Amino acid sequence: MSSPLITIERFLLSQQPEYAKGDLTTLFYDIALAAKMIATQTRRAALLDVLGYEGTTNIQGERQRKLDVYADDIMFKLNDHTGRLCAMVSEERDDWIRIPENYSKGHYVMVYDPLDGSSNIDTNVTIGTIFGIFRVLDDGNRGRLEDCLRCGRDLVAAGYIIYGTSTMFVYSAGAGVHGFTLDPEIGEFLLTHENMRFPENPAYYSLNFGSYRSWEPEVQQYGDWLQTITEPRLSQRYIGSLVADFHRNLLYGGVYGYPGEVNLPNGKIRLLYEAGPLAFLAEHAGGYGSNGKMSLLDIKPDGLHQRTQVFIGNRSLVEKAEEFIRKQD
Ligand code: AFP
């Protein structure tokens, strides 16, 4: 018998606990709609003249691509007026985002990187959107900085959208990690990957060995170890697009790492809206995310755009990174 066709709407309604069947469920619908719009634009990028740079820079000092700005705008416009959120944080905006006074405010805070891996856009390589959702600390206010500056342990849900050969929506609200593939003909996300778990035996490591000489000696030793272990022997795969590297490792087993470098001591990955949400997903899929010393989920950010060293994927491989790094202390 063939398996049933389950849309993301149907799945969310049947899976979410009663308390979350209102705003959190509908928030996922809004993100799924944003995903469809960004996917449409991504597919037609070269035709619509949205490749290339916008002429502006973001808080990281990175030049913003036209698709970065488009994706950020879509995430914002689909979520500012719904009454489900009381604040947002975007990689593309310096400050946290207030919900305009003329709209009612909700119980949730959404942090997001609208388009990760965007330096890959012009070369047709897979990119992604990452999001995390917190519950507001105090329902009585309209959202404050402290509602945004939270450690990953506080997340109630997280997910990503991957724009690859197909578009997928992967999320967890604490009960398993589930993946849906967009059927572009009917415009629906259909359940294709229920209860995703890192396979016990990993297959890949994903670190940019081009930066090897800039790593700390203990990270170099970890890199050497990854290249030489035989049980199991691992292959290297590095796309340079965090969502894509994480997704492959979730499906086949592996570790993604972005270590600190001589001129970039905390590496490149942002804690609040990249590392935290992916570490949440990793733990709910039987994996682990660490900065080399502690769980990424236990680090409270001091700033919205704080960077952190990252090792994330199969627990055994991430704990090995911690072992090498602790030896130096
Ligand atoms: P961009 O959004 O600037 O492409 O950066 C993507 C990213 O933050 C992450 O997705 C990659 O894993 C990492 O940078 C790649 O950086 P390197 O090119 O330095 O390895």
Side-chain angles (χ1 to χ4, degrees), residues 62 65 68 91 113 115-120 207-208 211 238-243 245 256-258 261 264 268-270 274:
E62 298 159 345
R65 288 173 188 266
D68 280 324
E91 190 209 4
D113 179 353
L115 216 49
D116 174 69
S118 53
S119 61
N120 290 314
L207 288 85
N208 184 353
S211 303
Y238 187 73
I239 297 170
S241 193
L242 174 57
V243 170
D245 282 311
Y256 168 93
Y258 204 107
E261 296 173 9
L264 207 57
K268 192 172 166 191
I269 306 304
R270 269 65 59 142
E274 293 179 329

Side-chain angles (χ1 to χ4, degrees), residues 6-318:
I6 301 175
T7 63
I8 195 166
E9 283 84 358
R10 171 72 20 227
F11 187 83
L12 284 167
L13 279 173
S14 62
Q15 291 289 310
Q16 292 292 92
E18 275 313 315
Y19 73 87
K21 277 202 174 143
D23 283 357
L24 190 56
T25 302
T26 35
L27 183 50
F28 285 128
Y29 297 165
D30 297 334
I31 300 170
L33 178 58
K36 289 180 209 173
M37 295 178 73
I38 299 168
T40 303
Q41 204 74 358
T42 307
R43 269 203 316 276
R44 304 170 69 203
L47 303 171
L48 295 173
D49 191 28
V50 289
L51 289 178
Y53 292 97
E54 184 71 8
T56 48
T57 52
N58 65 13
I59 180 75
Q60 274 59 244
E62 298 159 345
R63 293 171 70 199
Q64 288 177 304
R65 288 173 188 266
K66 291 178 185 172
L67 267 176
D68 280 324
V69 174
Y70 174 83
D72 178 56
D73 206 39
I74 289 296
M75 289 292 276
F76 171 74
K77 280 187 183 152
L78 283 175
N79 287 292
D80 69 329
H81 62 283
T82 58
R84 297 187 247 289
L85 296 177
C86 62
M88 290 184 257
V89 176
S90 164
E91 190 209 4
E92 298 301 333
R93 302 185 189 219
D94 303 6
D95 203 0
W96 65 280
I97 306 166
R98 289 158 181 81
I99 299 302
E101 291 288 336
N102 52 325
Y103 299 135
S104 59
K105 62 107 196 154
H107 308 299
Y108 294 100
V109 175
M110 181 167 75
V111 295
Y112 62 94
D113 179 353
L115 216 49
D116 174 69
S118 53
S119 61
N120 290 314
I121 292 173
D122 291 1
T123 51
N124 222 341
V125 170
T126 298
I127 49 183
T129 298
I130 307 172
F131 65 89
I133 298 168
F134 298 102
R135 206 172 199 293
V136 65
L137 291 169
D138 169 7
D139 266 326
N141 67 65
R142 281 193 71 83
R144 301 156 304 171
L145 179 62
E146 54 259 52
D147 291 306
C148 304
L149 282 179
R150 312 268 290 277
C151 62
R153 269 301 155 219
D154 282 354
L155 285 163
V156 292
Y160 59 81
I161 299 117
I162 179 165
Y163 311 99
T165 44
S166 59
T167 300
M168 278 191 72
F169 184 105
V170 176
Y171 89 99
S172 176
V177 177
H178 311 290
F180 303 79
T181 304
L182 181 65
D183 181 335
E185 298 294 316
I186 57 168
E188 286 281 2
F189 280 104
L190 300 173
L191 180 65
T192 47
H193 298 65
E194 190 169 2
N195 258 323
M196 300 167 85
R197 309 274 304 167
F198 285 94
E200 209 168 300
N201 294 318
Y204 298 116
Y205 58 85
S206 313
L207 288 85
N208 184 353
F209 275 82
S211 303
Y212 181 90
R213 286 170 192 277
S214 305
W215 296 344
E216 295 290 343
E218 61 275 16
V219 176
Q220 290 179 337
Q221 284 160 23
Y222 176 58
D224 296 342
W225 177 82
L226 286 170
Q227 289 180 313
T228 50
I229 53 168
T230 49
E231 289 294 327
R233 194 189 85 76
L234 302 175
S235 289
Q236 182 183 16
R237 293 282 189 284
Y238 187 73
I239 297 170
S241 193
L242 174 57
V243 170
D245 282 311
F246 179 88
H247 185 70
R248 186 200 46 251
N249 291 338
L250 174 56
L251 291 180
Y252 296 122
V255 61
Y256 168 93
Y258 204 107
E261 296 173 9
V262 175
N263 296 320
L264 207 57
N266 293 318
K268 192 172 166 191
I269 306 304
R270 269 65 59 142
L271 175 60
L272 183 60
Y273 43 77
E274 293 179 329
L278 292 184
F280 177 91
L281 289 170
E283 285 214 359
H284 285 283
Y288 178 44
S290 167
N291 69 351
K293 296 189 171 171
M294 64 192 283
S295 168
L296 290 164
L297 294 178
D298 291 325
I299 310 171
K300 188 169 181 303
D302 296 322
L304 296 172
H305 302 285
Q306 181 175 324
R307 296 172 194 270
T308 179
Q309 172 161 270
V310 166
F311 301 93
I312 192 164
N314 275 67
R315 181 170 280 277
S316 58
L317 296 178
V318 177

